[in-house]
Amino acid sequence: MAEVSDHRPIPLPSSLASTGRTRFVGRADALAQLGTAFTSALKPGPRRITLVAGEPGIGKTRLAAEFCTAAGAEGALVLLGRCAEEALVPYQPFVELLRYYIAHAEPGALAAQLGRGGPDIARLVPELRDRVPGIGEPVTGDPEGDRYRLFDGVCTLLENIAGGRPLVLVLDDLHWADKPTLLMLRHIVRSPEAAPLFIVGAYRETDLDRQHPLTEVLADLRREAGHERLLLRGLDVAETEELLQTVAPHEVTPGTRAFAAAVQRETEGNPFFLHEVVRHFKETGKVYERDGFWRSDVASIADLGIPDGVKEVVGRRLSRLSTDCQAALGRASVQGRDFE
């Protein structure tokens, strides 16, 4: 592996930066688990990957952002790629993270890090030819051979980048990843080359079924020694109260604790739902502050209504169900949270 260090500062991707965010609440154990895995990735051994799973809005991306901010402060290089529900290009998350690095890297170091894979990587990121002139044309042959050379070229580049400083790859929304993206991920995870490279992937477990391409790859990755799965659940009542304090500061009283418990119960501690609910309460004037206390003229949480943001998230999940299933859920919903 070529150990070519590029000392040009490469900023943390803006969507992972913590600027302007509300204070991070809870998730101490999850952050510690990511930190331990990252430390292990710096030592010789199998490639490390931690897959963060959870429902929409549970805080997967925010957790990754908090971890990456800390890792970046310790000298790690962080690259981010996101999958899209309707991918615009093949291998989209890898295209995004490679494009970001290529745009910021020093051309001389980048040329050395490419090795022989430059022509193949230029197929993914054409801008590479502008940054490193003189890249030849890729060898063409059978499709399987072309794909292997592409995978090997990307893997070699990432390993060479990690030779200069620890590297963290964040792959978000893997539930939308296409099969080629997941095959490239598996190839990188299985590489025997030693490198301080740590991969964090995030996906919605609610979006998977037996036919989903990620399901098969997850089964393969579970057999890898460096694989970990981190399942996020909702915030508890104390964490919910702390989150509410960051959204709308107020004096803590038995009444506000009861309010936090009621909101946590209704949202099941989902951070996105919590933010949307509190914002909805404030915008509609159903909950307001007076003399440092939260007050409401509404008799119960159920009467405060459901914000549009929550409706949209739930609606998207329900839209994937069959018409008969949606009808059954509609009838069952009048019976309460639990039903036969």
Side-chain angles (χ1 to χ4, degrees):
M1 180 174 65
E3 295 189 4
V4 180
S5 179
D6 177 9
H7 295 289
R8 173 180 294 191
I10 297 181
L12 190 72
S14 59
S15 56
L16 292 176
S18 58
T19 304
R21 298 181 186 269
T22 57
R23 185 163 58 87
F24 189 59
V25 173
R27 310 299 190 203
D29 291 342
L31 269 178
Q33 185 172 335
L34 286 173
T36 300
F38 174 59
T39 300
S40 298
L42 305 181
K43 304 173 183 178
R47 190 67 43 85
R48 304 289 304 192
I49 177 171
T50 298
L51 293 173
V52 183
E55 64 182 22
I58 203 66
K60 303 179 293 297
T61 302
R62 180 63 190 274
L63 174 66
E66 292 297 320
F67 162 73
C68 289
T69 298
E74 295 178 4
L77 169 61
V78 178
L79 300 178
L80 167 68
R82 283 185 167 142
C83 304
E85 189 169 9
E86 295 183 5
L88 301 177
V89 295
Y91 309 104
Q92 183 164 325
F94 288 104
V95 170
E96 289 183 2
L97 64 88
L98 289 174
R99 179 173 289 150
Y100 186 83
Y101 180 74
I102 289 168
H104 289 84
E106 193 280 318
L110 177 59
Q113 291 164 343
L114 288 170
R116 295 179 297 178
D120 295 293
I121 296 173
R123 290 162 48 197
L124 284 185
V125 188
E127 306 94 291
L128 178 61
R129 296 186 181 277
D130 297 328
R131 297 284 291 162
V132 184
I135 292 178
E137 296 299 321
V139 176
T140 57
D142 62 280
E144 292 300 317
D146 292 347
R147 186 170 68 178
Y148 179 81
R149 284 188 293 274
L150 174 62
F151 286 10
D152 199 49
V154 171
C155 190
T156 298
L157 172 58
L158 294 175
E159 290 166 351
N160 287 341
I161 294 171
R165 73 188 81 175
L167 176 60
V168 178
L169 300 184
V170 180
L171 303 176
D172 205 2
D173 293 327
L174 282 173
H175 50 277
W176 285 330
D178 57 11
K179 188 66 174 289
T181 294
L182 295 172
L183 291 177
M184 181 179 285
L185 171 61
R186 186 172 64 183
H187 182 89
I188 294 170
V189 171
R190 288 179 170 177
S191 172
E193 185 72 40
L197 170 59
F198 179 47
I199 303 172
V200 179
Y203 68 95
R204 298 176 184 172
E205 59 172 354
T206 54
D207 286 32
L208 303 190
D209 56 31
R210 291 183 179 179
Q211 286 73 44
H212 197 288
L214 181 57
T215 302
E216 178 184 349
V217 174
L218 288 175
D220 290 342
L221 292 178
R222 288 190 186 100
R223 293 191 285 269
E224 302 297 325
H227 167 269
E228 285 185 325
R229 181 171 177 264
L230 178 55
L231 180 60
L232 294 187
R233 300 296 189 189
L235 302 178
D236 61 25
V237 174
E239 292 167 337
T240 297
E241 184 176 327
E242 186 179 355
L243 181 63
L244 294 178
Q245 285 271 23
T246 69
V247 176
H250 59 280
E251 184 176 340
V252 177
T253 67
T256 57
R257 291 194 181 98
F259 177 78
V263 172
Q264 192 274 343
R265 184 171 59 251
E266 292 298 318
T267 62
E268 296 185 346
N270 183 297
F272 172 76
F273 290 175
L274 284 166
H275 277 284
E276 289 293 305
V277 165
V278 172
R279 185 172 67 177
H280 172 69
F281 292 171
K282 295 176 69 178
E283 289 176 350
T284 59
K286 294 178 178 178
V287 170
Y288 52 91
E289 291 181 67
R290 180 185 297 166
D291 301 326
F293 295 89
W294 274 8
R295 304 179 187 275
S296 176
D297 299 325
V298 181
S300 70
I301 290 290
D303 295 332
L304 291 171
I306 301 174
D308 290 338
V310 175
K311 291 180 181 177
E312 290 170 3
V313 172
V314 175
R316 286 173 63 89
R317 293 175 64 179
L318 291 175
S319 66
R320 295 191 297 271
L321 303 176
S322 67
T323 301
D324 289 343
C325 186
Q326 292 186 48
L329 286 175
R331 290 191 293 270
S333 64
V334 300
Q335 300 185 46
R337 188 178 298 274
D338 301 314
F339 52 86
E340 292 293 335

